[in-house]
Amino acid sequence: MATASKRSVTKTSASAKKFSQRTRATEKHYIPSYPTKLFIYKQAASKYWWVRYFVNGNAVRKTTKTESKREAIAFAKSFYDTVTYNQRHGISATLSATSFAACLKEMLKAEKAKLDRGEISKITFDNSNYRYEKSITPFFGKMEVKDIDYMCIDRYLNQLSTLSLSASTITAYLGLTRKVLAYAARRRLIPSVPEFPSVKLNDKPRGWFTWSEYSKLWRNAGRLVGKKIQVRKYYDDLGEKQTQYVDANSAEFKFGELLRNVDMTEDLRRLIVFMVNSYIRPTDIKFMQHKHVDVVRNRNVFLRLRLPPTKGHSDPITTMPKAVDTYNTLLQYHLAQGLIGAEHSEDYVFLPQYKNNRDYALKQLQRQWEVLMHETGLATSPAGEERTLYSLRHTCIMWRLMLGEGVNTLALARNARTGVDMIDRFYAKPLSGEMNIEMLQSRRRKRTIYDGDVDIFKVDSSVT
């Protein structure tokens, strides 16, 4: 055993010695007028000149890919400029100033400035950073931006496709990648942004509620107010995982493991009416305080909601008249319960008791909504679309398109803080001609038909 061990050590030592001989500098030259920490050298293992520079006690080296000493010296000077530039800007010395990671670092400084100016939200900024760190930088980080082409991006797309991400999420990752390359193009590090592979998006709008379904929601939400519902997980006889929603005070047999208790509140019942009459998003619930709400009573009765900006929109929202009654009812309820005081401008409109944790407040409403969906059997639409709190906003917009007279789509989109394209692709996706049959079959009393600038004839619509 001792002999074998000795042989092993001897062999390893010989290998290390051989490697040292191949990598040891056989010729070395310093660069005139530059620090002595910068030099070029040759080694037995390579026919090319190499450049080395010491940064903060660490040696950074790179091949010049040339056998010409003159070209190697020119390369070393350029290498020195790149490394010192990276040092000044906090970029790793092992990265080129024209690498993807270096461009990303500089671009994020510009994005941070946009955040400070209020041009983008903190959520948008944080989400972008998360995606860069999670997937984009590990793939592209060390690449030179000039080397990133269609095939390279296509390989990244193929990698994303193995992660079971939705088409919209994959598109978002590609969009963030394109953003860095566009920044590199503006800095003239690349002549143009390379072509990107396309990803087919299938829009999946959430379900909405008909009038009868909405009435069922309202009635059951009222019936559940004040109850504590247990959410329990268990396995049925076939070994399938099931969920049980059961009143904590009932004598009904309770299966499996208790996950949570959900207190059903008056706030959910009022929220259902409020959202169907106000166009707001569920995220608005977290931030909406009484100071954001103005009750307007003139020729029209409505609430003016001056909410914090969402998704790049900051215009006030005007509601339907019913939202005014619902708001006032909830306000009086919270006052009677002692959840808010007489001076309540800084209090939140929904679940004000969770003043210091608004994410939890929204989560509580979402959990109550899940219980309500189970109780009503309305969790999915007849077309199989998922119904979440967001479906109440969809219902609001759909009802305006169906029931409103001469609704201007642009005005509707502006008031709902969205775009006309989004109305068409998502909110109005279920809208059919039959839903607006009266409008489609309506006639003006008299009309003139034109051919260019010339009147052809006038017709009395009563005879057509």
Side-chain angles (χ1 to χ4, degrees):
M1 285 294 286
T3 305
S5 176
K6 184 175 180 181
R7 285 176 182 170
S8 176
V9 170
T10 304
K11 184 178 180 181
T12 303
S13 299
S15 176
K17 185 177 181 181
K18 185 177 180 181
F19 178 78
S20 177
Q21 289 173 345
R22 292 176 65 236
T23 57
R24 185 182 297 127
T26 58
E27 188 176 351
K28 182 166 70 173
H29 294 279
Y30 294 99
I31 312 301
S33 303
Y34 280 77
T36 55
K37 292 187 295 183
L38 177 72
F39 57 86
I40 60 172
Y41 64 97
K42 270 194 171 184
Q43 54 190 14
S46 174
K47 64 180 180 179
Y48 297 133
W49 285 96
W50 284 70
V51 59
R52 176 176 289 187
Y53 182 59
F54 285 88
V55 183
N56 299 326
N58 296 316
V60 181
R61 68 190 194 105
K62 192 172 185 179
T63 177
T64 67
K65 293 187 178 180
T66 181
E67 298 178 57
S68 165
K69 180 180 175 182
R70 180 177 58 81
E71 292 176 0
I73 290 174
F75 182 94
K77 292 178 180 179
S78 176
F79 178 76
Y80 173 83
D81 291 340
T82 297
V83 171
T84 52
Y85 174 89
N86 287 351
Q87 275 187 294
R88 289 196 300 271
H89 291 80
I91 302 169
S92 171
T94 60
L95 294 174
S96 163
T98 56
S99 69
F100 186 92
C103 289
L104 171 60
K105 188 177 182 70
E106 291 299 303
M107 190 204 74
L108 287 178
K109 291 179 182 179
E111 291 296 293
K112 179 60 167 62
K114 287 183 181 179
L115 174 64
D116 295 339
R117 295 194 300 268
E119 295 179 16
I120 59 174
S121 67
K122 190 174 187 304
I123 293 176
T124 299
F125 182 78
D126 290 343
N127 285 346
S128 297
N129 273 340
Y130 170 77
R131 285 174 169 166
Y132 280 125
E133 292 174 5
K134 179 182 180 181
S135 173
I136 300 172
T137 302
F139 188 90
F140 293 105
K142 294 183 179 180
M143 296 184 188
E144 293 289 311
V145 287
K146 64 180 177 58
D147 296 331
I148 299 175
D149 56 12
Y150 177 90
M151 294 305 298
C152 180
I153 298 166
D154 192 54
R155 288 196 299 274
Y156 177 57
L157 173 59
N158 292 338
Q159 183 187 93
L160 289 176
S161 301
T162 65
L163 303 178
S164 300
L165 301 174
S166 67
S168 60
T169 302
I170 291 175
T171 301
Y173 275 105
L174 291 180
L176 289 172
T177 305
R178 185 195 300 273
K179 196 170 185 177
V180 178
L181 295 176
Y183 177 80
R186 288 195 295 272
R187 287 183 54 194
R188 299 184 179 180
L189 300 177
I190 54 178
S192 62
V193 177
E195 182 182 354
F196 272 63
S198 59
V199 178
K200 184 178 180 181
L201 288 175
N202 295 315
D203 296 334
K204 294 182 179 180
R206 295 174 180 86
W208 61 288
F209 297 100
T210 63
W211 176 258
S212 60
E213 290 172 334
Y214 167 73
S215 299
K216 187 176 181 180
L217 281 181
W218 164 254
R219 291 194 307 271
N220 281 274
R223 177 178 60 82
L224 291 169
V225 170
K227 291 187 176 182
K228 184 185 294 291
I229 304 297
Q230 290 187 353
V231 182
R232 310 181 73 92
K233 293 288 184 183
Y234 69 97
Y235 292 91
D236 61 19
D237 295 337
L238 299 176
E240 298 290 332
K241 197 172 186 179
Q242 303 291 347
T243 304
Q244 183 191 33
Y245 297 87
V246 59
D247 189 335
N249 298 317
S250 74
E252 183 180 349
F253 184 77
K254 299 175 177 60
F255 295 95
E257 176 189 0
L258 175 65
L259 289 185
R260 70 180 71 91
N261 288 307
V262 179
D263 294 315
M264 304 301 290
T265 65
E266 178 72 13
D267 290 64
L268 177 66
R269 181 162 70 133
R270 299 300 167 187
L271 177 65
I272 291 169
V273 182
F274 191 87
M275 285 191 67
V276 169
N277 287 276
S278 66
Y279 309 95
I280 65 169
R281 295 180 171 89
T283 49
D284 293 327
I285 299 165
K286 290 197 298 183
F287 308 110
M288 185 165 55
Q289 298 169 279
H290 289 283
K291 67 181 180 181
H292 299 136
V293 182
D294 300 325
V295 178
V296 180
R297 297 182 185 275
N298 45 39
R299 232 169 66 180
N300 298 94
V301 177
F302 59 92
L303 297 177
R304 183 190 300 116
L305 305 179
R306 296 174 289 102
L307 301 173
T310 52
K311 295 196 174 183
H313 299 275
S314 58
D315 294 334
I317 297 172
T318 57
T319 72
M320 301 297 290
K322 186 65 178 176
V324 179
D325 297 334
T326 301
Y327 170 74
N328 285 330
T329 301
L330 189 61
L331 173 61
Q332 295 306 315
Y333 174 79
H334 287 157
L335 285 168
Q337 295 293 314
L339 298 176
I340 59 176
E343 177 49 54
H344 48 261
S345 64
E346 296 294 326
D347 289 315
Y348 292 93
V349 176
F350 292 96
L351 294 183
Q353 60 267 42
Y354 302 113
K355 186 171 184 177
N356 297 320
N357 194 342
R358 297 306 296 169
D359 287 331
Y360 184 72
L362 180 57
K363 190 67 177 178
Q364 288 297 93
L365 287 169
Q366 289 170 335
R367 286 173 173 172
Q368 292 178 52
W369 177 263
E370 289 172 7
V371 173
L372 182 60
M373 290 297 96
H374 174 266
E375 290 291 315
T376 58
L378 297 174
T380 56
S381 71
E385 298 160 329
E386 180 187 10
R387 283 164 166 169
T388 65
L389 276 177
Y390 219 110
S391 298
L392 297 173
R393 170 177 161 89
H394 280 238
T395 302
C396 179
I397 294 174
M398 274 294 293
W399 284 10
R400 285 301 87 220
L401 291 169
M402 291 169 55
L403 306 175
E405 185 176 347
V407 172
N408 183 300
T409 310
L410 177 59
L412 176 63
R414 290 273 176 84
N415 192 58
R417 289 187 169 187
T418 188
V420 174
D421 179 59
M422 298 298 287
I423 293 277
D424 181 52
R425 288 174 53 197
F426 294 96
Y427 299 100
K429 189 84 170 180
L431 193 66
S432 65
E434 187 176 343
M435 293 177 181
N436 276 307
I437 188 66
E438 290 186 3
M439 181 199 72
L440 292 174
Q441 292 184 348
S442 64
R443 300 171 180 175
R444 299 173 186 166
R445 188 160 178 266
K446 285 188 178 181
R447 61 193 176 118
T448 302
I449 300 178
Y450 296 95
D451 180 13
D453 295 327
V454 182
D455 295 0
I456 296 181
F457 59 88
K458 293 184 179 180
V459 62
D460 187 339
S461 63
S462 63
V463 299
T464 59

